[in-house]
Amino acid sequence: MIRHITTVSLGAFVASAMIHGVAMAEDSEADIPSLSYETVLSDLSDPWDMAFLPDETMFFTEKCSGLSVRLPSGDVNALLGMEDTEGYSTTADDLFCYGQAGMNGVTIDPEFEENRFVYVYSASNLETPHTNRVIRLTVNDDFTDVSDRVDIIEDIPYKQEDSDHPFGDAGAHNGGRIRFNPGDGHVYVTTGDNHNGEIPQDPTSLGGKVLRVDRDGEAAPDNNEGGDFDPRIFTYGHRNVQGIAFHPDTHEAFVAEHGPWHSDEVKALTAGGNAGWDPRPNVGDRGDCPDDYCGYMPNQMEGMDPEERRAFMPMTDLERFPDAIQPAWDNDGLSQGMSSAVFLTGSQWKDWDGRLAVGFLGIGFGDTAEGHRVDVLDIADDALSVEVTTMDLPVPAGRFRSVVQGPDGNLYVARDEGEIYRIIPE
Amino acid sequence: MHRQLFLMIGTVLALGVVPAQADDVAAGETLYAESCVSCHGSAGRGMASFPALTGRSADYIVERLEQYRAGERVGSNTGLMAPHAAELSDDEIANLSAYISEEFQ
């Protein structure tokens, strides 16, 4: 069951007003924070992800530029540039962007104080076909440069050729979020299906998966049941996961995943689990599909009822995979570009303390509204239902690519258009 | 979204304001904010899978929008662009093209 409090119904008991950029909320039943904001950085190029040290030092990636760091003073140092960039301390000419691919996620080693390790996820042309890689870097003492690059995962597939699909250019569906789980100390890596029908259910491919490895890229123990499975695979059968977060109490992993013109999904992961996405042709009562990928069928270029799409090409196919991981939420059957997710923690978030914030890129297709927003999910203990509240955001609507809570307890939100905002609850 | 635009135009007409003319940059700006900005951005730089519009001539934009409106397949984002272009009049295409080519150099 999905219990959904929409912004409309919420409006019945929440009076909201925008006063000098401050969203004021009054509510006789729920204790919801008022939100104001500051612009931390602007004029960036497709900011993709952020990661913080305790002193508010912020590493951030730009998809076609590279890795930089914003110091607590506000100064920004450009650390690792991609091909054709200037002004970076170090440049890696094999790192490139094309379409959706480029430099994506960034995370910091839990033992950064000792080892100075940061990690980025990026497309690389060191091999052909090209691949996505998880790259470990060592940051120098004054945060002006990085060195000692080690590619701890080299073989995440990259879409090399264009195909006959929406967004069908090369470089599509990379996943790309990387996060350490404070519960087990391992790094989790989300990947995508490359518009390739075979990849998600292929136990040997790292695409369409969530990987779990140590800081050297070695598989975590007990990821899956073995057999043909690559030992680094934690869960499989995913489409394009761009969000992963860990419950603040249980450390259970939750992913947020783009849907295929329907059904963005949030789900709790279990080791070895199948998320149920299988876009191969000639399975599940489907016939041939364009370029052997049924992901947008049965009508991939025109709008149609999302429910009909779901029946034809389910995001989680419980008929063929009865044990597949069921979603806690499917965005009411719609796809609006669900991207990253983070659990909000701290009393400053009032009733939202412990709830999952989910950012949406927003994409309107057919009769689906664009839906640029950040939602707050109260996930049931069994992770099979949610209550949803939409944040009354004080910032301009846009493609919200990344949501990260900073050490100051505020929510940092990156917009594709070029900003990183600090959302301040009061 | 487009319906809202027509309603707005209808309201303006009812108030006796002079309707937008072809190559009307201001009208193009309004339409861009309604239908284009969320993918191509307020500076026309594009983002994610959506291309930049900077440096494009008015003729180029007109030609592309007319192709989308005619149902031609232009590229991998045709499925997204075609519904937006389908409802555009010749004047609206001219206004959008004038705005984009003048604003996003």
Side-chain angles (χ1 to χ4, degrees):
Chain A
M1 184 184 77
I2 294 171
R3 295 164 287 158
H4 191 177
I5 300 176
T6 67
T7 50
V8 175
S9 61
L10 191 67
F13 56 88
V14 176
S16 297
M18 295 294 293
I19 302 173
H20 301 299
V22 179
M24 306 294 290
E26 295 177 10
D27 177 5
S28 58
E29 298 180 29
D31 192 12
I32 293 173
S34 301
L35 304 177
S36 60
Y37 81 100
E38 297 168 351
T39 301
V40 179
L41 292 170
S42 58
D43 295 323
L44 303 177
S45 173
D46 282 298
W48 216 94
D49 202 12
M50 301 83 79
F52 289 87
L53 290 170
D55 68 353
E56 299 182 22
T57 294
M58 179 180 76
F59 293 91
F60 64 95
T61 55
E62 295 168 272
K63 190 186 72 172
C64 292
S65 301
L67 172 70
S68 299
V69 63
R70 180 185 184 273
L71 303 176
S73 65
D75 292 341
V76 172
N77 295 332
L79 299 175
L80 179 68
M82 304 165 72
E83 66 172 356
D84 300 326
T85 59
E86 295 179 353
Y88 284 81
S89 298
T90 296
T91 302
D93 290 335
D94 65 301
L95 305 184
F96 72 98
C97 75
Y98 191 90
Q100 298 172 12
M103 189 175 286
N104 303 138
V106 58
T107 194
I108 300 172
D109 196 288
E111 297 179 10
F112 179 86
E113 282 297 312
E114 289 76 41
N115 60 31
R116 309 288 295 180
F117 290 162
V118 298
Y119 306 76
V120 294
Y121 182 109
S122 181
S124 162
N125 60 22
L126 282 176
E127 299 173 50
T128 300
H130 305 333
T131 64
N132 284 295
R133 294 174 173 234
V134 179
I135 298 168
R136 191 180 74 200
L137 303 158
T138 302
V139 183
N140 68 358
D141 287 343
D142 58 1
F143 294 91
T144 56
D145 203 356
V146 291
S147 61
D148 300 328
R149 168 178 167 178
V150 177
D151 295 6
I152 67 168
I153 302 177
E154 302 176 336
D155 50 346
I156 300 167
Y158 165 86
K159 184 185 179 188
Q160 191 76 21
E161 305 291 341
D162 296 351
S163 62
D164 179 17
H165 304 112
F167 308 108
D169 292 345
H173 288 199
N174 306 281
R177 203 71 62 181
I178 50 178
R179 293 285 184 269
F180 275 91
N181 184 344
D184 61 20
H186 291 121
V187 62
Y188 290 60
V189 180
T190 73
T191 71
D193 72 7
N194 294 187
H195 287 161
N196 182 313
E198 297 289 334
I199 279 180
Q201 296 290 325
D202 180 349
T204 66
S205 170
L206 299 189
K209 309 295 189 304
V210 175
L211 315 176
R212 183 172 66 164
V213 300
D214 67 15
R215 61 170 56 87
D216 297 317
E218 298 297 325
D222 304 321
N223 268 344
N224 57 59
E225 294 181 356
D228 291 336
F229 272 90
D230 187 300
R232 296 169 292 182
I233 293 173
F234 183 64
T235 55
Y236 66 105
H238 293 284
R239 180 176 181 272
N240 190 21
V241 183
Q242 290 198 0
I244 186 163
F246 307 99
H247 190 280
D249 297 325
T250 66
H251 303 302
E252 186 174 24
F254 286 80
V255 288
E257 184 165 3
H258 284 273
W261 294 151
H262 69 83
S263 307
D264 295 323
E265 288 190 342
V266 171
K267 55 178 57 171
L269 303 185
T270 53
N274 183 357
W277 175 246
D278 185 8
R280 282 177 292 180
N282 301 304
V283 298
D285 297 327
R286 292 179 291 276
D288 293 337
C289 293
D291 288 336
D292 296 327
Y293 179 80
C294 299
Y296 297 96
M297 295 301 278
N299 183 0
Q300 67 173 18
M301 290 299 181
E302 294 179 25
M304 65 179 290
D305 181 358
E307 186 59 39
E308 288 183 49
R309 289 190 186 280
R310 189 217 306 252
F312 184 86
M313 183 62 249
M315 187 72 166
T316 302
D317 190 343
L318 291 169
E319 194 168 313
R320 296 186 53 237
F321 308 115
D323 296 329
I325 304 167
Q326 296 188 41
W329 188 45
D330 69 356
N331 189 24
D332 297 339
L334 302 180
S335 175
Q336 295 169 306
M338 186 183 284
S339 188
S340 72
V342 66
F343 280 95
L344 304 172
T345 58
S347 59
Q348 73 279 12
W349 290 105
K350 300 184 177 179
D351 282 357
W352 291 349
D353 181 8
R355 296 188 184 175
L356 186 71
V358 179
F360 287 82
L361 299 169
I363 183 165
F365 186 67
D367 292 330
T368 300
E370 285 181 322
H372 305 289
R373 67 189 191 276
V374 176
D375 280 350
V376 180
L377 310 187
D378 184 6
I379 302 172
D381 289 344
D382 63 3
L384 293 176
S385 66
V386 300
E387 290 184 359
V388 184
T389 307
T390 296
M391 275 193 182
D392 193 357
L393 280 177
V395 300
R399 295 173 55 80
F400 296 120
R401 178 69 64 178
S402 181
V403 291
V404 178
Q405 183 165 314
D408 55 2
N410 298 316
L411 182 67
Y412 288 74
V413 178
R415 258 188 10 147
D416 273 358
E417 192 152 355
E419 301 85 10
I420 296 175
Y421 298 112
R422 179 188 295 119
I423 308 293
I424 305 163
E426 295 169 11
Chain B
M1 184 177 295
H2 226 71
R3 234 171 268 129
Q4 293 173 340
L5 181 68
F6 290 140
L7 280 174
M8 190 180 74
I9 291 172
T11 304
V12 169
L13 290 174
L15 292 172
V17 179
V18 177
Q21 301 296 312
D23 300 327
D24 183 331
V25 172
E29 181 176 12
T30 301
L31 188 50
Y32 185 87
E34 286 276 344
S35 297
C36 315
V37 71
S38 64
C39 294
H40 294 287
S42 59
R45 294 187 306 198
M47 51 190 133
S49 302
F50 308 114
L53 302 175
T54 48
R56 297 296 189 185
S57 69
D59 288 346
Y60 175 91
I61 300 295
V62 167
E63 183 181 351
R64 286 291 174 273
L65 287 174
E66 288 180 345
Q67 284 179 293
Y68 284 124
R69 187 175 64 178
E72 293 179 34
R73 176 140 187 206
V74 180
S76 64
N77 290 344
T78 299
L80 283 171
M81 277 299 300
H84 288 286
E87 296 182 33
L88 294 176
S89 68
D90 288 346
D91 279 355
E92 287 172 325
I93 287 178
N95 294 342
L96 268 176
S97 303
Y99 173 71
I100 290 168
S101 61
E102 287 193 17
E103 187 70 15
F104 306 142
Q105 295 300 316

